[in-house]
Amino acid sequence: MRHAPRGGAYALPVTPAARTARLTPAVLLALALVYVVWGSTYFGIKVAIGSLPPLGMLGVRFLLAGALLYGFLRWRGAPAPSPREWRASAVVGLLLLGGGTGLVTLAERDASSSVAAMMIAVSPLFAALFARLWGERTGGREWLGIGVGLVGILLLNLGELHATPLAAFLLILAPLCWTFGSMWSRHLPLPGGLMGSAAEMLAGGGLLLLLSLGLREHWAAPTAASLWALAYLTVFGSLVAYSAYMYLVAHTRPALATSYAYVNPVVAVLLGVGLGGESLSGLGWTALGVILAGVVLVAWPRPVPTSGGQVGAEAARSEG
């Protein structure tokens, strides 16, 4: 019988001691993909729901992405998930894709794409808090970086928050669901390799589509812009960036894995201003600089002692 590893979507068994404190090439590539691609998906979602129902659009997006990845992996000989792994994937898919992405998409009916990305920047704080439930530590510089990033978000929201109270509430609830699901996924029996991402997208997409049908969302003929946005979200936002994020969840510190939430507003604002006709004040641009400073503090690798014996090395790894 195959025993599924824990720790998200990749095959290595993950414990706090196994997560690297170094910015390896694989980690840097995953960070770049999540930073840039997910920053652009806020604008993509805004375009897609222009003529598509929010939950239904997400259901189709994740089902398509999950089916493509699942079919490719099975063709390559990857084993199918066990019933236990499907159940764990459904839990993670519901929290991340339903509660996280789903609530953001619903909120964007009454909030700009820039504001949505700004509000999601509280994710690293929630991730650090939830990680402590499983005994993981957050370093002092990481807490400082989180604090600096939140100051930037507060500055940004002083003059830039244009959303209804319900939309603002959904944008706070979304990162709670997302980060709790991310931290919990490290301790669930998810499928190994990219099969974990495929199973989570299939399960989450199916649940979202059922919810859309249950709520009787209205479907109409979509515009070409919405269809192109859906295609972009499916390929890049789901297949590429979601898999890269699950790699970070499994192999890096919580604060670093969720540091995308500080960079995504920069990308989202640039796209919103450049393509969506949104605007940003001087205070807003200053706030973005503060946010980036917070990212640097969170992402900067922790020093690993080169002396002190094996015990010191093991302690350094356990803190990473």
Side-chain angles (χ1 to χ4, degrees):
M1 178 182 294
R2 181 172 64 92
H3 295 281
R6 296 183 180 184
Y10 283 75
L12 293 177
V14 178
T15 63
R19 297 185 189 106
T20 180
R22 298 184 180 90
L23 296 178
T24 64
V27 168
L28 287 173
L29 176 61
L31 283 172
L33 289 172
V34 172
Y35 282 176
V36 176
V37 174
W38 270 356
S40 66
T41 57
Y42 292 93
F43 181 70
I45 287 173
K46 193 74 173 179
V47 174
I49 64 175
S51 62
L52 289 170
L55 298 179
M57 182 275 294
L58 284 183
V60 171
R61 166 189 170 182
F62 290 119
L63 278 177
L64 281 175
L68 288 171
L69 185 56
Y70 182 87
F72 173 76
L73 292 173
R74 291 289 288 154
W75 176 69
R76 292 291 301 271
S82 67
R84 184 166 177 253
E85 291 171 338
W86 276 117
R87 288 193 294 270
S89 298
V91 170
V92 175
L94 178 62
L95 286 170
L96 269 66
L97 307 181
T101 309
L103 292 177
V104 169
T105 303
L106 289 174
E108 283 202 43
R109 295 177 301 178
D110 302 304
S112 69
S113 60
S114 301
V115 167
M118 295 170 197
M119 296 291 285
I120 298 303
V122 298
S123 294
L125 175 59
F126 291 152
L129 294 176
F130 287 138
R132 295 183 70 87
L133 294 176
W134 286 279
E136 298 184 34
R137 297 175 57 187
T138 299
R141 189 174 63 232
E142 291 172 322
W143 282 115
L144 177 61
I146 290 170
V148 170
L150 290 176
V151 169
I153 295 302
L154 290 176
L155 290 174
L156 200 57
N157 289 340
L158 286 178
E160 306 299 331
L161 182 56
H162 305 291
T164 64
L166 176 59
F169 173 74
L170 294 178
L171 290 173
I172 292 294
L173 188 59
L176 278 170
C177 295
W178 182 274
T179 52
F180 180 74
S182 297
M183 297 305 102
W184 194 10
S185 73
R186 295 174 164 186
H187 307 274
L188 291 174
L190 296 171
L194 285 172
M195 184 60 77
S197 296
E200 289 158 23
M201 286 190 286
L202 282 172
L207 291 170
L208 281 164
L209 198 56
L210 287 176
L211 186 58
S212 173
L213 295 174
L215 294 176
R216 298 187 178 183
E217 284 189 323
H218 177 67
W219 290 79
T223 64
S226 290
L227 290 177
W228 278 113
L230 176 59
Y232 176 81
L233 292 170
T234 300
V235 175
F236 292 96
S238 298
L239 283 174
V240 175
Y242 184 72
S243 296
Y245 172 70
M246 294 310 295
Y247 177 87
L248 292 172
V249 168
H251 292 86
T252 65
R253 296 165 284 126
L256 181 58
T258 55
S259 63
Y260 70 89
Y262 287 163
V263 181
N264 285 172
V266 180
V267 178
V269 166
L270 291 175
L271 287 175
V273 171
L275 300 178
E278 300 173 4
S279 61
L280 196 65
S281 66
L283 178 61
W285 291 110
T286 301
L288 288 178
V290 176
I291 290 170
L292 287 176
V295 174
V296 171
L297 288 170
V298 169
W300 198 268
R302 297 174 181 175
V304 178
T306 57
S307 61
Q310 183 66 25
V311 174
E314 290 297 330
R317 283 195 293 271
S318 67
E319 291 180 2

